[in-house]
């Protein structure tokens, strides 16, 4: 949601800002704009729609050469996605100040009333514009931009990353962060700001994550950080391990297609250095937690949203089966606003690709207030979630650009398996042979995922063939259940069709009424060798729906000799551990959704109404 870029330095600022905004496009937006200062004058261009509209506007009305500026992609909250509501917003009657904002200013109505009473004229319907006018007004009184900026930041409630430039101070960008992401890129003789490192990674890999309630004073040759009270704050830099090329399509027709194909590498990178050849998992990321503390854990609560919550569901199956610790999985926004029972012996695990999902951040803060320790599973270095958690297990999926999560999910599930095995070993819940066999099986996952991808055209062809489907249902048991829900979510978000995932055992309790002649149903079929006899139960479920007209596509294990008798099509995946099968079974569902969406001519990478990083509650 909303992308933010700031730059001070010798390069052509318009190019740096547009390049940064392009790399942040994946976050989701519906208008874009930039402001630069040149020869003591502020100039702004903004346009609703995609970045190409802004570029056309700049081509029609070129901007002068400049060495300082700010850029924004807006995901509309207050006010429709029009040219006027696009950011930047100008402050003061003389329009000397430009401001961009990500987040929501919750007390904007009272601040606006104050400004209206003084006769301020507003050019937009946004909550943001109040901040621009307030800072401009204070600056006119004191001519101290930092003082005006920090005083206004202290008056705002809600979530905001705000960047400001003022034509009277043409060498500095001021920025503030509360409950919304902001990262600094450190260059030589130039410095950058971005919603995430993608904004500047092609220019520098040295980055600083800005803390909660901090103000940045960014100049070409200096970066200073202060608290909202004006106290200087020390910072530490980190090295970005993403390659700029990792965030480009690299010849694939879409980012989603590329990211599906990236999965063997994403899983291998997530496992790298963490699973010894003998099958023992060593997670240095959580080494500060003692065996005693692990033994003291009475309960685990996993908080996450959307696809990440399905990774949490799979982790629940793994942790309960292997480590014998009770686990509950909660949508972050539900957990935060009820009265969950959290004790000092509750471990909270937050899963988030971006590490900036506001619902999950609020859940984590709440859990910490209640005294819980929080582990994060996160894909983004320097993200707020990573900073605020007691320990972080990074997934190394690389940048995920398509809005629909694919490789981040399988990397999150992989991290969940590793954590489950570490907990199992610490608690002595599995015998050595079983423990190390599971660890070794983890090491085989990247190759098995590659094998699934080698045969992915079957799933893609089925997706294309279902381009006119009005509804697709998904069924599974055990880990097949969250996989079914993920398959349905992928279809909803990128193909805009009705899709639902059910626990196969739940069918007879209601959902079977949905089945009518020709209804496509994709069923996750467990291994025929599974010890819990789930295979015959799922085959029975298939027979029940086929008897009522369903057309069944089965995802089954190679060598399953019976399933072919009960399905219109079977997609076979390699044999693995029953719980690890989740990683293999979800991949054909990703390809099915991608192909179906493509056949409908939709934008698979940037589906309507969605943002990649949901930074408001
Ligand atoms: C769906 C999808 C979303 C995210 C969810 C959480 O494909 O990507 O459901 O999984 O918004 O995002 P993160 O993982 O960034 O917290």
């Amino acid at each position: 949601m909303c992308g933010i870029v700031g730059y001070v330095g010798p390069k052509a600022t318009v190019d740096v800002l547009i390049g940064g905004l392009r790399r942040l496009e994946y976050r989701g937006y519906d208008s874009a704009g930039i402001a630069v200062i040149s020869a003591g004058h502020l100039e702004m261009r903004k346009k609703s729609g995609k970045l190409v509209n802004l570029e056309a506007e700049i081509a029609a009305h070129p901007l002068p050469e400049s060495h300082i500026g700010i850029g924004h992609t807006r995901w509309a909250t207050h006010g429709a996605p029009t040219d006027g509501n696009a950011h930047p917003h100008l402050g003061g009657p003389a329009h000397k100040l430009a401001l961009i904002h990500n987040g929501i200013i919750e007390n904007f109505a009272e601040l606006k009333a104050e400004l209206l009473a003084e006769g301020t004229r507003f050019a937009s319907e946004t909550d943001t514009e109040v901040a621009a006018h307030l800072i401009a007004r204070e600056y006119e009184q004191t001519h101290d931009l930092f003082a005006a900026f920090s005083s206004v930041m202290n008056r705002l409630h809600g979530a905001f990353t705000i960047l400001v430039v003022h034509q009277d101070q043409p060498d500095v960008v001021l920025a503030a962060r509360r409950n919304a992401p902001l990262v600094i890129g450190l260059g030589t003789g130039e410095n950058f700001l971005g919603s995430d490192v993608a904004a500047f990674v092609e220019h520098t890999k040295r980055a600083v994550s800005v803390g909660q309630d901090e103000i940045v004073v960014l100049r070409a040759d200096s970066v200073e950080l202060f608290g909202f009270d004006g106290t200087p704050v020390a910072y530490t830099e980190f090295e970005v391990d993403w390659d700029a090329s990792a965030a480009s399509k690299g010849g694939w027709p879409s980012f989603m297609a590329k990211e599906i194909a990236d999965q063997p590498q994403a899983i291998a990178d997530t496992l790298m250095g963490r699973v010894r050849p003998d099958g023992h998992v060593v997670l240095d990321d959580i080494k500060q937690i003692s065996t005693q503390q692990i033994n003291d854990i009475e309960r685990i609560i996993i908080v996450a949203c959307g696809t990440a919550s399905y990774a949490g569901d799979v982790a629940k199956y793994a942790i309960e089966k292997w480590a014998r610790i009770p686990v509950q999985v909660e949508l972050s926004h539900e957990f935060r606003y009820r009265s969950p029972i959290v004790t000092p012996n509750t471990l909270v695990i937050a899963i988030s690709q971006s590490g900036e999902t506001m619902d999950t951040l609020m859940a984590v803060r709440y859990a910490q207030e209640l005294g819980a320790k929080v582990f994060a599973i996160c894909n983004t270095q320097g993200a707020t979630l990573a900073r605020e958690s007691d320990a972080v297990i990074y997934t190394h999926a690389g940048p995920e650009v398509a809005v629909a999560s694919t490789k981040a999910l399988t990397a999150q599930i992989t991290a969940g398996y590793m954590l489950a095995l570490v907990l199992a070993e610490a608690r002595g819940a599995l015998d050595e042979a079983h423990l190390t066999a599971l660890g070794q099986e983890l090491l085989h996952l990247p190759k098995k995922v590659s094998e699934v991808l080698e045969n992915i055209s079957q799933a893609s062809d089925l997706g294309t063939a279902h381009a006119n489907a009005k509804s697709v249902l998904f069924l599974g048991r055990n880990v097949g259940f969250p996989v079914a829900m993920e398959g349905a979510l992928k279809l909803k978000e990128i193909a805009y069709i009705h899709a639902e995932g059910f626990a196969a055992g739940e069918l007879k309790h209601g959902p079977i009424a949905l089945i009518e002649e020709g209804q496509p149903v994709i069923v996750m079929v467990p291994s025929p060798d599974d010890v819990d006899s789930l295979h015959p139960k799922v085959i029975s479920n298939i027979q029940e729906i086929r008897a009522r007209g369903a057309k069944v596509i089965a995802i089954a294990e190679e060598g399953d000799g019976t399933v072919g008798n009960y399905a219109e099509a079977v997609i076979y995946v390699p044999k693995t551990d029953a719980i690890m099968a989740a990683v293999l079974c979800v991949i054909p569902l990703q390809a099915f959704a991608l192909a179906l969406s493509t056949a409908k001519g939709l934008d698979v990478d940037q589906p309507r109404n969605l943002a990649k990083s949901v930074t408001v509650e």
Side-chain angles (χ1 to χ4, degrees), residues 305-308 351-357 360 400 403-405 412 486 489-490 493 612-614:
C305 298
T307 289
I351 306 181
S352 173
Q353 186 284 129
S354 61
E356 300 294 352
T357 298
T360 300
E400 190 178 65
V403 164
S405 188
Q412 286 162 349
E486 169 63 5
L489 179 60
K490 285 282 110 35
E493 63 182 328
K612 179 71 180 162
S613 186
V614 184

Side-chain angles (χ1 to χ4, degrees), residues 116-197:
L116 285 170
E118 291 173 5
T120 304
R121 295 166 75 104
F122 281 81
S124 77
E125 306 150 288
T126 64
D127 53 333
T128 302
E129 196 181 347
V130 293
H133 289 302
L134 286 172
I135 300 167
R137 184 185 68 176
E138 292 218 17
Y139 177 76
E140 288 312 315
Q141 288 158 9
T142 62
H143 292 277
D144 181 339
L145 189 58
F146 181 85
F149 184 76
S150 53
S151 142
V152 172
M153 293 308 107
N154 279 297
R155 295 193 64 195
L156 304 182
H157 300 166
F160 48 89
T161 293
I162 288 180
L163 267 60
V164 157
V165 286
H166 195 294
Q167 69 178 35
D168 292 353
Q169 309 276 331
D171 65 334
V172 66
V173 180
L174 293 182
R177 172 187 182 277
R178 169 179 290 169
N179 292 333
L182 181 62
V183 189
I184 304 167
L186 301 172
T188 308
E190 61 179 353
N191 289 304
F192 305 80
L193 290 161
S195 298
D196 62 54
V197 297

Side-chain angles (χ1 to χ4, degrees), residues 45 511 527:
R45 304 283 181 272
S527 166

Side-chain angles (χ1 to χ4, degrees), residues 323-498:
R324 307 301 298 148
I325 306 173
V327 182
Q328 82 197 57
V329 183
E330 290 244 14
L331 295 170
S332 311
H333 35 89
E334 286 298 315
F335 171 81
R336 170 64 188 87
Y337 294 107
R338 56 182 195 84
S339 304
I341 296 170
V342 173
T343 66
N345 289 340
T346 304
L347 172 66
V348 169
I349 301 174
I351 306 181
S352 173
Q353 186 284 129
S354 61
E356 300 294 352
T357 298
M358 185 54 69
D359 291 314
T360 300
L361 292 175
M362 297 310 272
V364 162
R365 288 175 193 158
Y366 186 51
Q368 285 171 329
E369 273 168 32
L370 297 175
K373 281 236 171 313
V374 177
F375 286 4
I377 295 179
C378 181
N379 193 45
T380 310
Q381 279 177 294
T384 307
L385 177 65
R387 292 170 57 97
E388 295 192 4
S389 300
D390 298 289
V392 191
I393 302 167
Y394 278 111
T395 48
H396 295 297
E400 190 178 65
V401 176
V403 164
S405 188
T406 53
K407 64 177 179 174
L409 167 77
T410 45
Q412 286 162 349
I413 296 176
T414 303
Y417 293 151
M418 288 192 293
L419 179 59
L421 290 177
V422 166
L423 297 175
E425 178 162 9
R427 292 169 75 107
L430 285 177
D431 62 58
E432 173 75 6
H434 193 181
L435 185 83
T436 52
L438 287 167
Q440 282 167 348
E441 183 56 23
L442 271 182
L443 293 172
H444 291 130
L445 273 184
K447 183 161 178 298
K448 292 185 179 180
V449 169
S450 296
E451 286 165 28
V452 175
L453 290 170
E454 279 159 24
N455 297 318
I456 205 66
S457 58
Q458 188 192 1
S460 305
D461 291 348
L462 285 164
T464 308
H466 284 81
N468 295 323
K470 296 271 174 292
S471 149
V472 180
L473 304 180
F474 295 77
L475 298 182
R477 281 176 183 258
N478 197 272
V479 291
F481 174 32
V483 169
M485 290 195 287
E486 169 63 5
L489 179 60
K490 285 282 110 35
L491 264 193
K492 280 184 260 205
E493 63 182 328
I494 65 167
Y496 315 153
I497 61 175
H498 170 251

